Amino acid sequence: MSNLFIACEQEVRDGKTMDIYFERTKKILDSKGFGDVSVWAEFTCSSLPRSWPWAIFCGLEEVVRLIEGHPVDFYSIPEGTLFKARSPNSVRVPLMNIHGAYTDFGISETAILGMVCQPSGIATAAARTKIAAKGKTLFAFGNRRMHPAISGVIDRSAYIGGCDAVSSPFGAELIGQKPLGTTPHALMLMMGGNEAAFKGFDEIIEDDVPRIMLIDTFSDERTGAMEACKYVKNLKGVRLDTPGSRRGNFRELINEVRWELDMNGFKNVDITVSGGLDEFSVAEIADTCVNSFGVGTSISNAPTLDLSMDIVERNNVPISKRGKFGGRKYAYRCPDCLSMDVSLSPNDDIKCTCGCHMVPIEEKVLDNGKRVAPERSASEIRDYVLRQLKQISEL
């Protein structure tokens, strides 16, 4: 049997997924005696997609695991930080800084960028959707839209950005949670109807799995909701995955199902909605009686952030390519409005436009390849994100 088209971890570490010119550059530098030249390189974001005013920095832990053991010093803003790409005078804010011989980390540039560009986009989309949902429960259902090799990356990033649960066992294991799922249309189709499917689920699936039944495969949503209540013990909720061609006024449909449930004594049964949702469609119905949202493609297929790595010092002398600012820089952030700024000093006194004094936000993660900052769990990072989202919503 042929292998799948995915790189294994060792192939990533060996640089087989890098852009080939990094390997050729290393060969030239080593041959010409420049292999041990020390540099500072920074990772910055030129701009944010879709006119986003901020983004969530995500993927740091995987980067640390990639370069741990290399003879470099590595600094970063904390994973989960809500950041703005540029300072008030348009200088790019460094999200990560690395110091050492370029030949010791250059071949990892492609992998490092990929490990933060895509996760940060996914985490940001999840955070924006969480805000749109007015803090209601958000499930990540987007793995089927992306390559399975990155399902863990998608789920971890979505969870860090604000999703409350993920659907894949692999992703759930990464974040230390249990995977959450409802029922697919295939179950009802294969068993010929709601009654057999609902009863079969209730009979076969472990009791600790929440009973959330998909109700619109064959039936009118009101009818399906009542069937779920009738055939499933300890029913947690019903899910509406109504296709766009059948929705009409979705708000009215949701309210109708809620009325039917309440009228028949099932006020404790939640309503989950899914099906092609994004932050905008979620916002349109967030003030209804919906308890939770299942969001897929718009989060998993979020735009990647445009990050780049640039050498800004060579042998302690500032240097940069055209269009960039030379010199090793330090990131600062306002603790009140979360605006960002940059300084050439780690001990600067920078006053934000809102009047508050900014504080350094960078921390040292690796010292000569040895981890000096403790690993943070996905749940800890997610809590940090949610605190910041609450903060900006109150501004």
Side-chain angles (χ1 to χ4, degrees):
M1 181 183 294
S2 298
N3 293 330
L4 299 179
F5 303 144
I6 57 176
C8 70
E9 178 176 335
Q10 193 58 51
E11 287 169 326
V12 175
R13 292 185 179 278
D14 291 344
K16 291 190 176 181
T17 61
M18 69 179 170
D19 300 303
I20 190 61
Y21 60 20
F22 291 117
E23 179 181 306
R24 294 167 181 163
T25 297
K26 183 179 187 306
K27 185 180 295 185
I28 296 168
L29 294 176
D30 286 338
S31 297
K32 296 297 183 178
F34 291 90
D36 59 352
V37 173
S38 177
V39 302
W40 277 99
E42 64 182 18
F43 295 80
T44 62
C45 184
S46 61
S47 62
L48 298 176
R50 298 179 180 171
S51 299
W52 288 345
W54 49 264
I56 302 294
F57 177 58
C58 187
L60 173 64
E61 177 57 33
E62 192 169 28
V63 172
V64 174
R65 295 184 185 192
L66 176 68
I67 62 175
E68 191 173 6
H70 292 223
V72 297
D73 295 333
F74 183 65
Y75 302 77
S76 177
I77 66 172
E79 185 165 14
T81 296
L82 186 152
F83 73 93
K84 300 179 182 181
R86 292 178 181 260
S87 71
N89 56 354
S90 274
V91 179
R92 297 185 185 189
V93 176
L95 306 178
M96 302 182 291
N97 280 291
I98 190 166
H99 180 237
Y102 176 77
T103 53
D104 285 329
F105 64 85
I107 64 170
S108 297
E109 177 178 341
T110 302
I112 292 172
L113 289 171
M115 287 175 175
V116 291
C117 289
Q118 186 173 28
S120 296
I122 293 170
T124 305
R128 292 178 61 87
T129 308
K130 186 69 171 179
I131 291 174
K134 299 185 182 300
K136 291 184 176 181
T137 302
L138 189 63
F139 303 136
F141 286 168
N143 278 329
R144 67 185 60 195
R145 300 291 182 249
M146 303 298 285
H147 196 284
I150 60 170
S151 63
V153 172
I154 293 171
D155 279 345
R156 181 181 183 274
S157 304
Y159 178 72
I160 283 174
C163 287
D164 297 273
V166 301
S167 61
S168 81
F170 184 73
E173 185 177 342
L174 280 179
I175 63 174
Q177 305 289 323
K178 290 184 178 181
L180 183 136
T182 60
T183 50
H185 291 290
L187 179 62
M188 278 63 78
L189 292 167
M190 290 300 297
M191 298 192 72
N194 286 346
E195 180 177 354
F198 292 168
K199 286 182 176 179
F201 187 102
D202 212 20
E203 175 188 350
I204 302 300
I205 302 305
E206 297 82 359
D207 291 340
D208 63 346
V209 175
R211 269 54 178 160
I212 304 175
M213 298 295 109
L214 179 61
I215 60 174
D216 54 17
T217 305
F218 297 113
S219 306
D220 169 83
E221 285 78 6
R222 289 192 311 177
T223 302
M226 289 300 97
E227 289 176 327
C229 293
K230 179 179 180 181
Y231 299 128
V232 180
K233 299 186 297 291
N234 300 316
L235 182 67
K236 167 65 175 173
V238 295
R239 176 163 73 97
L240 283 67
D241 195 50
T242 311
S245 61
R246 299 290 191 273
R247 281 185 180 177
N249 186 322
F250 201 29
R251 293 176 64 91
E252 288 296 318
L253 178 58
I254 294 165
N255 290 332
E256 190 177 322
V257 172
R258 181 74 270 164
W259 180 271
E260 195 75 11
L261 288 167
D262 293 352
M263 183 175 63
N264 286 280
F266 297 104
K267 293 184 178 182
N268 62 322
V269 174
D270 292 344
I271 294 178
T272 297
V273 297
S274 61
L277 298 177
D278 58 20
E279 62 176 286
F280 305 107
S281 56
V282 165
E284 291 175 356
I285 56 175
D287 62 346
T288 67
C289 52
V290 171
N291 300 96
S292 55
F293 301 88
V295 182
T297 306
S298 64
I299 292 177
S300 64
N301 196 36
T304 60
L305 269 56
D306 184 13
L307 273 67
S308 60
M309 188 192 85
D310 295 285
I311 293 173
V312 292
E313 280 193 10
R314 177 181 179 275
N315 282 338
N316 297 316
V317 178
I319 191 173
S320 70
K321 70 178 186 181
R322 292 197 305 166
K324 299 295 175 72
F325 294 75
R328 198 284 202 227
K329 306 173 198 68
Y330 299 84
Y332 285 73
R333 192 172 71 155
C334 174
D336 188 33
C337 71
L338 306 186
S339 294
M340 306 285 287
D341 210 337
V342 170
S343 175
L344 293 172
S345 168
N347 300 301
D348 209 343
D349 184 17
I350 303 176
K351 196 170 185 180
C352 180
T353 55
C354 76
C356 291
H357 287 274
M358 292 191 168
V359 296
I361 194 170
E362 175 190 272
E363 59 185 12
K364 192 170 190 178
V365 183
L366 296 177
D367 183 354
N368 194 30
K370 182 179 179 180
R371 187 190 287 259
V372 292
E375 178 181 347
R376 296 160 67 217
S377 70
S379 293
E380 289 175 312
I381 300 169
R382 178 179 182 273
D383 289 344
Y384 173 47
V385 170
L386 293 179
R387 289 196 300 271
Q388 293 168 98
L389 297 184
K390 181 179 180 182
Q391 185 172 347
I392 62 171
S393 68
E394 294 174 347
L395 292 178

